[in-house]
């Protein structure tokens, strides 16, 4: 069985792309998930011209681009098709002003509208679960994506979010499996106390390294290997500030944590995918 490729989400870094590519390749990554957003290397309004160029620059550093995080409009889908990017990853916030089901119905209408473009470009929308007021779990993904061919709309399982939402590894993988299309996230979270003991308790989600999260990375790699998963393990490089402080670490502040996590994930792949 082919070993999964390890990629990294570029959200922490706004460095010029050639320097960023060299940095990420030097850390041992084999691919990237580009953030196609304002303030980043590829802007949404110029995705048609800039994404293929960015993919070529990354290839020159030995990095593949299996996915981006961006919009699901036809311009972005066409750009992914031209650049050979297979998945546009999104999260799906829920608008409680209209309610959960109406929000899911709106996403499904948006998916339906671009299926011809997805088919034409061999691109998939990858919906990632996210804790809180989002489609938050593997169960939620299954409900929202029911009836879609994963080559058009697929699930991007994120056990970090499942763990704080309450799903165990083996159940989440089993639930999401029919909807997967070669992309899974690897990051870790736990709940920490956000205020002092003299106050009514408040907790927040804290993003951390593999050994401190709410699920076991080895268990997830083993489950994915057992179901025959091949494709990409993406590390979102998401780490919180000091416990109790809101906000994520950005830029090279994440590097000590990224190094620890990629080394652990690489060792698990080499041991389990033989």
């Amino acid at each position: 069985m082919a070993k999964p490729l390890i990629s990294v989400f570029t959200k922490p870094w706004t460095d010029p792309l050639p320097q960023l590519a060299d940095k990420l390749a030097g850390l041992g990554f084999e691919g990237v998930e580009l953030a196609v957003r304002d303030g980043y290397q590829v802007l949404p309004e110029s995705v048609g011209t800039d994404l293929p160029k960015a993919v070529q620059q990354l290839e020159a550093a030995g990095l593949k681009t299996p996915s981006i995080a961006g919009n699901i409009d036809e311009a972005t889908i066409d750009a992914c098709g031209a650049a050979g990017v297979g998945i546009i990853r999104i999260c799906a916030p829920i608008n409680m002003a209209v309610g959960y089901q109406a929000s899911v119905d709106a996403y499904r209408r948006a998916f339906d509208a671009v299926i011809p473009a997805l088919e034409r470009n061999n691109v998939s929308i990858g919906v990632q679960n996210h804790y809180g007021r989002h489609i938050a779990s593997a169960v939620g993904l299954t409900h929202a994506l029911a009836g879609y061919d994963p080559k058009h709309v697929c699930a991007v399982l994120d056990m970090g979010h499942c763990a704080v939402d309450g799903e165990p590894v083996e159940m989440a993988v089993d639930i999401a499996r029919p909807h997967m299309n070669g992309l899974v996230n690897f990051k870790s979270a736990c709940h920490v106390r956000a205020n002092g003991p003299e106050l009514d308790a408040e907790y927040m989600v804290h993003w951390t390294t593999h050994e401190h999260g709410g699920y076991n990375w080895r268990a997830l790699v083993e489950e994915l290997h057992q179901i025959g998963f091949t494709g990409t393990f993406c590390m979102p490089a998401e780490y919180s500030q000091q416990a109790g402080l809101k906000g994520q670490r950005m830029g090279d502040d994440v590097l000590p944590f990224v190094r620890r996590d990629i080394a652990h994930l690489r060792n698990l792949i080499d041991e389990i995918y033989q």
Side-chain angles (χ1 to χ4, degrees):
M1 185 185 302
K3 292 182 179 181
L5 176 146
I6 303 179
S7 71
V8 62
F9 184 27
T10 60
K11 179 181 176 180
W13 298 280
T14 56
D15 311 38
L17 195 57
Q19 292 93 310
L20 178 58
D22 289 341
K23 179 187 301 183
L24 298 180
L27 289 167
F29 288 105
E30 301 154 309
V32 301
E33 179 177 89
L34 275 174
V36 178
R37 298 176 178 176
D38 291 340
Y40 285 87
Q41 298 85 359
V42 177
L43 303 178
E45 61 267 26
S46 57
V47 66
T49 56
D50 289 354
L51 181 60
K53 293 177 184 177
V55 169
Q56 289 179 350
Q57 288 180 301
L58 292 164
E59 286 177 349
L63 296 168
K64 297 181 180 180
T65 311
S67 61
I68 66 167
N71 299 327
I72 57 170
D73 52 57
E74 288 206 23
T76 305
I77 296 168
D78 288 343
C80 286
V85 175
I87 294 179
I88 303 171
R89 182 183 61 81
I90 66 169
C91 293
I94 298 301
N95 178 4
M96 290 308 299
V98 300
Y100 184 88
Q101 188 60 57
S103 296
V104 170
D105 291 343
Y107 284 117
R108 291 178 64 90
R109 287 193 295 271
F111 301 156
D112 292 344
V114 295
I115 282 179
L118 297 169
E119 176 70 25
R120 182 174 69 246
N121 288 285
N122 195 28
V123 172
S124 177
I125 296 169
V127 185
Q128 178 215 308
N129 59 295
H130 190 295
Y131 84 95
R133 293 183 181 89
H134 286 71
I135 295 174
S137 62
V139 168
L141 290 174
T142 293
H143 171 249
L145 305 185
Y148 286 108
D149 189 324
K151 74 176 184 178
H152 296 142
V153 188
C154 66
V156 179
L157 182 66
D158 191 313
M159 275 306 309
H161 292 281
C162 288
V164 296
D165 203 55
E167 286 179 326
V169 169
E170 66 277 12
M171 188 173 81
V173 172
D174 183 62
I175 292 167
R177 176 182 180 178
H179 305 280
M180 288 182 179
N181 188 21
L183 182 63
V184 171
N185 276 359
F186 274 80
K187 61 184 179 184
S188 290
C190 60
H191 287 102
V192 298
R193 180 76 181 255
N195 61 353
E198 69 281 359
L199 302 172
D200 289 344
E202 294 181 5
Y203 290 87
M204 63 188 295
V205 171
H206 182 83
W207 295 98
T208 183
T209 50
H210 68 273
E211 67 268 41
H212 300 297
Y215 75 101
N216 185 283
W217 284 28
R218 173 181 290 276
L220 179 54
V221 175
E222 288 176 343
E223 288 293 329
L224 292 170
H225 178 262
Q226 184 173 339
I227 68 169
F229 178 93
T230 58
T232 302
F233 290 172
C234 183
M235 288 175 47
E238 187 171 337
Y239 304 95
S240 297
Q241 299 286 350
Q242 185 176 353
L245 299 179
K246 293 183 178 180
Q248 296 178 21
R249 298 178 186 271
M250 297 295 286
D252 288 350
D253 194 25
V254 306
L255 291 182
F257 311 105
V258 166
R259 288 191 181 100
R260 187 185 310 171
D261 278 346
I262 189 175
H264 181 63
L265 185 55
R266 172 60 63 203
N267 287 337
L268 290 174
I269 291 173
D270 288 346
E271 178 185 341
I272 295 167
Y273 275 79
Q274 297 193 26

